[in-house]
Amino acid sequence: MNDAVDLYLAQWNRERPDLDVSPMAIIGRMNRLQQILGRGIGDHLAEHGLERWEFDVLATLRRSGTRDHRLSAKELVRMTMVGSSAMTNRVDRLVERGLVHREVDPANRRRVLIGLTDEGFSVVDRMVQDHVANESRLLAGLDPGEQRQLAHLLRELLLSLGDSAPEEEQERTRT
């Protein structure tokens, strides 16, 4: 059975037999997977009244390992890979929903801390289990060994492209 990328590759091979289009087999499938998986995750979260970005912020705070599940605005931006103006808008909306709160850092009055409210903690703690079950469902086409192999290969590709966790985050995870 062929997937959509097989069709695109066959078309390129017909039109440009002089090119090795094999990289398109990987990149094209990764792009299609991003769309399909993103839709599957987004639809599932929407069934529970959450946007993907909302879950991302709540989950980042929940897994941070910090006291009271708080991060500075700067840390939250770095850990979610979202720009500071976008994060300000996201935090504003989550504050309005009562899922996070802002407070001045008592140790450094120039810093703002964003933390989970009790309701935000409850929502993300409840949702993470459903989220993982949904991701398992989305990956069910691969057996556990294939999933481990794919995770390893994707990690190797990311590392080869210069993607790595910030050193301070790696240190915090170790302790």
Side-chain angles (χ1 to χ4, degrees), residues 114-133:
I114 293 103
L116 292 172
T117 62
D118 290 342
E119 175 67 13
F121 183 91
S122 177
V123 166
V124 71
D125 230 35
R126 186 175 58 249
M127 274 306 302
V128 72
Q129 189 170 345
D130 284 346
H131 178 68
V132 171

Side-chain angles (χ1 to χ4, degrees), residues 9-173:
L9 295 172
Q11 290 169 334
W12 277 117
N13 283 327
R14 182 190 67 232
E15 297 297 320
R16 291 293 309 269
D18 57 309
L19 288 178
D20 174 12
V21 295
S22 61
M24 289 181 176
I26 296 170
I27 303 297
R29 287 186 174 101
M30 290 173 71
N31 285 333
R32 289 187 62 79
L33 279 168
Q34 180 183 15
Q35 293 169 356
I36 293 167
L37 295 174
R39 188 171 41 249
I41 290 167
D43 290 350
H44 180 75
L45 290 170
E47 290 172 11
H48 297 277
L50 286 174
E51 298 283 339
R52 286 180 66 187
W53 65 264
E54 290 173 314
F55 181 76
D56 185 38
V57 173
L58 297 174
T60 299
L61 292 168
R62 175 64 175 97
R63 66 180 160 75
S64 69
T66 60
R67 195 182 108 238
D68 298 329
H69 308 288
R70 297 181 306 178
L71 291 170
S72 71
K74 184 177 178 179
E75 291 169 319
L76 193 54
V77 164
R78 186 179 68 246
M79 292 178 73
T80 59
M81 298 181 287
V82 173
S84 60
S85 60
M87 183 55 68
T88 298
N89 184 31
R90 290 176 180 195
V91 170
D92 287 346
R93 291 174 64 188
L94 289 168
V95 166
E96 287 174 18
R97 287 194 60 187
L99 299 174
V100 302
H101 59 83
R102 282 189 182 96
E103 62 187 79
V104 174
D105 184 347
N108 179 351
R109 309 253 339 130
R110 292 176 292 169
R111 275 181 17 143
V112 173
L113 297 175
I114 293 103
L116 292 172
T117 62
D118 290 342
E119 175 67 13
F121 183 91
S122 177
V123 166
V124 71
D125 230 35
R126 186 175 58 249
M127 274 306 302
V128 72
Q129 189 170 345
D130 284 346
H131 178 68
V132 171
N134 183 51
E135 288 184 333
S136 293
R137 181 188 62 77
L138 291 168
L139 296 173
L142 300 176
D143 68 43
E146 291 169 327
Q147 290 180 31
R148 283 189 298 277
Q149 182 181 16
L150 179 58
H152 171 76
L153 291 171
L154 291 171
R155 179 181 184 276
E156 292 298 315
L157 181 57
L158 283 168
L159 289 171
S160 76
L161 294 171
D163 187 52
S164 63
E167 202 53 46
E168 62 271 13
E169 297 306 320
Q170 292 182 45
E171 194 60 38
R172 187 184 347 215
T173 303

